[in-house]
Amino acid sequence: MGRGKIEVKRIENNTSRQVTFSKRRSGLMKKTHELSVLCDAQIGLIVFSTKGKLTEYCTPPLCMKQIIDRYVKSKGIPIPDHNNRAGAIAYNDQMYKELARMKNETLNLQLSLQRYKGDDLSTVHFDELRELEHQLEQSVNKVRARKFQLLHEQLENLKRTEVLLEKENQEMYQWLMSNQIEKQAEMEAQQQQIAMTELKLVEQQPLMNQFPFFGEDLHLGNLPDQQLHTHTYRLQPTHPNLQDSTQIE
């Protein structure tokens, strides 16, 4: 799950505010150093805590004074001459004007945020309300366009996923059917082989009945009773000598 958006406002709990300040100050110092190193930028950062503790960062090998002097020259702020009272007064006036301008900008930004949230609209005039409504409608249209774009992308992804799943399902079905056909063919071949074997045994059965002694083991005891029946052969006394001997006996 993604992290939820945190409303940017003053933290009322002192402990939580101090912990948040310490964590975010460390992150701010780290990001400032990374920006200075990666982009070769000259950065001066000054942070005062609620207790008045100073934390600063300056791009090496510069010092904070050099960064401030460069800022003053780029902004066109006159450098005060401490030996000249008039110059010091002019410098103070310039600083107060700059501070007042920054305060006004901050106040206007805060009022704009409150108006966008729908807070404190009692002092807003009709023209300002109409302009605010127009801006909000434009913002809503942009938000809706982005939302519909994301929904369309999700729908396209779902369609592609459906096509892939259907293709995989078809391949799986074909694979199962081919395996089933192969198994059925193997079973039919086995059944045909068994039937041929039984047919051969049936064809050989009459020969076995005719020749009961056919086989590896030959035992007279296994012969049928009819074939074991012994016939008594008697000699016919056709010869004279044999007749005499018969009579003598």
Side-chain angles (χ1 to χ4, degrees):
M1 295 179 61
R3 297 178 59 185
K5 293 184 179 180
I6 301 175
E7 185 179 0
V8 180
K9 65 178 183 179
R10 183 176 181 272
I11 300 175
E12 299 298 333
N13 187 274
N14 294 329
T15 304
S16 301
R17 184 169 62 247
Q18 185 64 31
V19 171
T20 304
F21 173 76
S22 300
K23 291 182 179 179
R24 301 221 170 192
R25 178 185 59 186
S26 300
L28 179 61
M29 297 293 290
K30 181 180 179 181
K31 293 295 183 182
T32 304
H33 175 70
E34 291 177 355
L35 178 62
S36 175
V37 173
L38 293 175
C39 302
D40 194 18
Q42 297 178 357
I43 304 175
L45 175 64
I46 300 175
V47 180
F48 285 98
S49 66
T50 54
K51 296 182 179 180
K53 184 179 179 180
L54 171 65
T55 303
E56 64 179 7
Y57 173 84
C58 183
T59 303
L62 301 177
C63 62
M64 187 61 68
K65 185 177 182 304
Q66 293 174 338
I67 296 292
I68 293 175
D69 291 341
R70 186 174 180 179
Y71 171 77
V72 170
K73 290 179 181 179
S74 63
K75 297 294 288 183
I77 300 174
I79 300 175
D81 186 3
H82 297 287
N83 297 325
N84 188 356
R85 183 179 180 82
I89 294 174
Y91 175 74
N92 291 332
D93 292 339
Q94 184 69 23
M95 291 298 295
Y96 281 125
K97 289 180 181 180
E98 183 69 17
L99 182 61
R101 185 185 65 81
M102 294 178 66
K103 285 183 178 180
N104 289 330
E105 289 182 357
T106 303
L107 181 60
N108 292 331
L109 290 174
Q110 290 178 351
L111 290 175
S112 298
L113 290 175
Q114 290 178 357
R115 290 174 181 176
Y116 280 121
K117 292 180 180 180
D119 299 335
D120 194 14
L121 298 177
S122 58
T123 59
V124 182
H125 298 289
F126 178 78
D127 294 336
E128 294 177 353
L129 289 174
R130 185 172 59 183
E131 181 65 23
L132 179 61
E133 182 182 7
H134 180 67
Q135 292 178 358
L136 290 174
E137 288 178 354
Q138 289 182 346
S139 299
V140 170
N141 291 331
K142 291 180 180 179
V143 171
R144 287 176 178 172
R146 178 58 179 168
K147 183 183 70 174
F148 289 140
Q149 181 182 359
L150 292 176
L151 290 175
H152 181 70
E153 291 176 357
Q154 292 179 359
L155 182 61
E156 292 296 328
N157 292 332
L158 290 175
K159 288 182 179 180
R160 287 193 293 268
T161 304
E162 182 182 3
V163 172
L164 292 175
L165 290 176
E166 185 176 357
K167 184 178 179 181
E168 290 179 358
N169 190 14
Q170 187 68 23
E171 292 176 354
M172 183 66 69
Y173 175 76
Q174 293 178 357
W175 180 77
L176 290 174
M177 290 299 296
S178 62
N179 287 343
Q180 186 175 1
I181 293 173
E182 291 178 358
K183 290 181 179 179
Q184 187 175 359
E186 291 179 357
M187 291 178 64
E188 291 178 355
Q190 291 178 0
Q191 291 178 358
Q192 186 176 4
Q193 186 176 3
I194 293 171
M196 293 295 294
T197 304
E198 292 178 353
L199 181 60
K200 289 180 180 179
L201 292 175
V202 170
E203 290 177 353
Q204 293 176 359
Q205 189 66 30
L207 296 176
M208 295 292 292
N209 294 332
Q210 293 177 6
F211 302 97
F213 51 84
F214 178 79
E216 296 182 356
D217 298 332
L218 182 59
H219 299 286
L220 295 177
N222 295 331
L223 294 176
D225 294 338
Q226 295 177 359
Q227 295 181 4
L228 289 176
H229 180 71
T230 57
H231 298 277
T232 306
Y233 295 96
R234 302 181 62 183
L235 297 176
Q236 298 295 330
T238 57
H239 198 277
N241 297 330
L242 293 174
Q243 292 178 358
D244 297 339
S245 61
T246 305
Q247 292 176 359
I248 294 172
E249 291 178 356

